[in-house]
Amino acid sequence: MVKSDDFDVRQFLPYLLNQAAEASSLEFQKVYKDKYGMLRNEWRVLFHLGIYGQMTASDIGARSQMHKTKISRAVQRLAERRYLTRTRAEADRRVEYLTLTSAGQRVYQDLKATAAEYDAALTDGMSRQEAALLRTMLERLAARP
Amino acid sequence: MVKSDDFDVRQFLPYLLNQAAEASSLEFQKVYKDKYGMLRNEWRVLFHLGIYGQMTASDIGARSQMHKTKISRAVQRLAERRYLTRTRAEADRRVEYLTLTSAGQRVYQDLKATAAEYDAALTDGMSRQEAALLRTMLERLAARP
DNA sequence: GCTTGTTAGTTACAATTCCAACTATTACAT
DNA sequence: ATGTAATAGTTGGAATTGTAACTAACAAGC
């Protein structure tokens, strides 16, 4: 049983997380949006493919927690821009393998470099331990069912 | 200059923040959504009024970083449900003072109690220092311009 | 008084997202 | 083999959000 009288909702973790997430996303969004006309879901799909190489849409879903309709639409737009190619699996023709084109690879590398810089700026005031602890806690929070 | 070769985008702070924020929001959303048919922006407006008492829409905007159209629409819906009342300011008739009705107060108290419990569950694995540090870092990240 | 500029809040329309239903294909059990 | 269920991914329409333009009221300078 928790007393709510002395609980300050301003300290509510989901609220703080959303504020921090929105603030930091908005700034980085400028990069992939203004430079490449991409949406957040497209950037996410792109970077999953950049990290893991060839994947199916459901692989991405499993890794990213993104809903399959978001993935489907992001993949469509990335395919239109020729950042990735889709290949039907011979063994199971429901499945499509997604692979970055070399143009897609280049965009990924560029965005990754910018992300690295921006991440460094975000963790600027923190000690190395603090930054590491923050990431660990965020991962734990994201993973909880 | 940051080397991006050894930067793992999976550790990218905006990404982790979004994952954690989405995961934790989704669970709490069930409460205000299923129980009171509210959207996230409405819950946010409600809890600002719960904390600070009477406020104007722009007060809420300044505190919450929410865009004014979000606030405007959230206020409309909360007013329809009779969770708040709007009063024109005599001195400056552009301004409206927003105040929770007693029904709104009750909803706020209930949601606040649930939030307290949920927050306790989220910080369950953490030490008191870790939780405090996390909140501080999130506040800093949210506040950066 | 009359411009010109600013601020509070709303509205319109386009872009996104959500949700549920859908197609196509495979798996599995009888 | 045949009916039933499960899975991969797509699509349509409703709900929500974003963006920019808008109204109304105030403020300041002339």
Side-chain angles (χ1 to χ4, degrees):
Chain A
M1 184 50 196
V2 184
K3 277 195 237 129
S4 78
D5 296 333
D6 55 342
F7 177 68
D8 185 347
V9 198
R10 277 167 292 193
Q11 295 288 303
F12 188 37
L13 222 32
Y15 178 62
L16 292 175
L17 285 165
N18 268 296
Q19 299 256 90
E22 250 165 67
S24 64
S25 294
L26 235 81
E27 197 164 331
F28 186 65
Q29 164 181 319
K30 286 204 226 106
V31 184
Y32 54 74
K33 191 175 175 190
D34 295 353
K35 202 163 171 187
Y36 296 108
M38 285 169 58
L39 303 172
R40 186 161 56 114
N41 292 331
E42 292 161 43
W43 150 241
R44 282 199 189 178
V45 165
L46 184 87
F47 97 61
H48 275 88
L49 293 173
I51 295 169
Y52 297 106
Q54 187 174 77
M55 297 177 94
T56 69
S58 10
D59 291 342
I60 297 176
R63 293 268 185 200
S64 67
Q65 306 285 129
M66 288 169 72
H67 190 76
K68 59 182 183 173
T69 64
K70 284 186 181 176
I71 298 172
S72 172
R73 282 164 172 142
V75 166
Q76 270 181 327
R77 300 190 48 166
L78 289 171
E80 280 165 19
R81 276 155 222 249
R82 318 250 179 237
Y83 288 164
L84 61 76
T85 57
R86 344 170 75 166
T87 342
R88 279 271 158 231
E90 279 308 310
D92 181 345
R93 286 206 309 285
R94 290 170 301 184
V95 174
E96 270 185 348
Y97 294 120
L98 308 171
T99 321
L100 290 186
T101 61
S102 47
Q105 290 280 359
R106 272 195 300 279
V107 174
Y108 168 66
Q109 290 301 336
D110 179 32
L111 288 177
K112 180 180 163 185
T114 312
E117 282 174 38
Y118 182 46
D119 196 270
L122 285 175
T123 52
D124 197 30
M126 307 176 195
S127 74
R128 207 161 290 269
Q129 293 88 336
E130 283 176 335
L133 179 62
L134 175 59
R135 291 185 219 269
T136 307
M137 290 193 288
L138 291 176
E139 276 173 350
R140 274 221 309 274
L141 288 169
R144 82 193 306 276
Chain B
M1 183 50 199
V2 184
K3 278 196 235 124
S4 80
D5 296 333
D6 55 342
F7 177 68
D8 186 347
V9 197
R10 279 168 289 193
Q11 294 289 301
F12 187 37
L13 221 33
Y15 178 62
L16 291 176
L17 286 166
N18 267 296
Q19 299 258 88
E22 251 164 67
S24 64
S25 294
L26 234 80
E27 197 164 332
F28 186 66
Q29 165 181 319
K30 285 203 225 110
V31 184
Y32 55 72
K33 192 176 174 192
D34 295 352
K35 202 164 172 187
Y36 297 108
M38 286 169 58
L39 302 173
R40 188 161 54 114
N41 292 331
E42 292 161 43
W43 151 240
R44 283 198 188 177
V45 165
L46 184 86
F47 98 61
H48 275 88
L49 292 173
I51 295 169
Y52 298 105
Q54 186 175 79
M55 298 177 94
T56 70
S58 11
D59 291 342
I60 297 177
R63 293 266 184 203
S64 67
Q65 308 282 131
M66 287 169 74
H67 190 76
K68 58 183 183 172
T69 64
K70 283 187 183 176
I71 298 171
S72 172
R73 295 196 251 244
V75 166
Q76 270 181 324
R77 299 190 49 165
L78 288 172
E80 280 164 21
R81 275 156 223 252
R82 319 250 178 239
Y83 288 164
L84 61 77
T85 57
R86 344 170 73 165
T87 339
R88 280 267 161 235
E90 279 307 311
D92 182 345
R93 287 206 308 287
R94 290 170 302 182
V95 173
E96 270 186 348
Y97 294 120
L98 308 171
T99 322
L100 291 185
T101 60
S102 48
Q105 291 278 2
R106 272 196 301 280
V107 174
Y108 168 67
Q109 290 301 337
D110 179 32
L111 288 177
K112 181 180 164 185
T114 312
E117 282 174 39
Y118 182 46
D119 197 271
L122 285 175
T123 52
D124 197 30
M126 308 176 194
S127 74
R128 208 161 290 268
Q129 293 88 334
E130 283 176 337
L133 180 62
L134 175 60
R135 291 185 220 269
T136 307
M137 290 193 287
L138 291 176
E139 276 173 351
R140 275 222 309 275
L141 287 169
R144 85 192 307 275

